[in-house]
Amino acid sequence: MSEAPWWMESGPETCQFCLRTFHYEAGYHCIYCDRPICPACVAARFDTRDTLCPECHEEEKCHEEEKCQGGKA
């Protein structure tokens, strides 16, 4: 029996962030760049249930911090 959850076992998709293979049915796609993301790497915005890849999530956080810092000045 495999120790990995079924969705992380070898499948047709490869996560571009952690390089694991995963089943396509359990995969997500980033709403901004449309790259496939495995369930372990997905960054979600809970209010809208959108899925973001780690890179787009970091960019979004940076933009939000700039807005906040710009508003304080």
Side-chain angles (χ1 to χ4, degrees):
M1 185 176 215
S2 175
E3 292 182 28
W6 68 268
W7 62 84
M8 297 298 288
E9 292 177 1
S10 294
E13 293 288 326
T14 301
C15 180
Q16 297 176 14
F17 304 98
C18 67
L19 302 178
R20 295 180 190 173
T21 55
F22 61 97
H23 288 283
Y24 181 76
E25 293 84 13
Y28 298 93
H29 286 82
C30 179
I31 62 167
Y32 293 131
C33 65
D34 200 38
R35 290 185 284 183
I37 319 161
C38 77
C41 291
V42 116
R45 294 190 296 186
F46 295 107
D47 53 339
T48 60
R49 295 185 182 183
D50 293 332
T51 56
L52 304 173
C53 71
E55 287 179 10
C56 290
H57 185 252
E58 285 300 315
E59 286 179 21
E60 185 177 67
K61 283 187 353 186
C62 289
H63 291 301
E64 286 176 6
E65 288 175 7
E66 288 173 7
K67 287 179 189 176
C68 291
Q69 291 173 358
K72 292 179 182 178

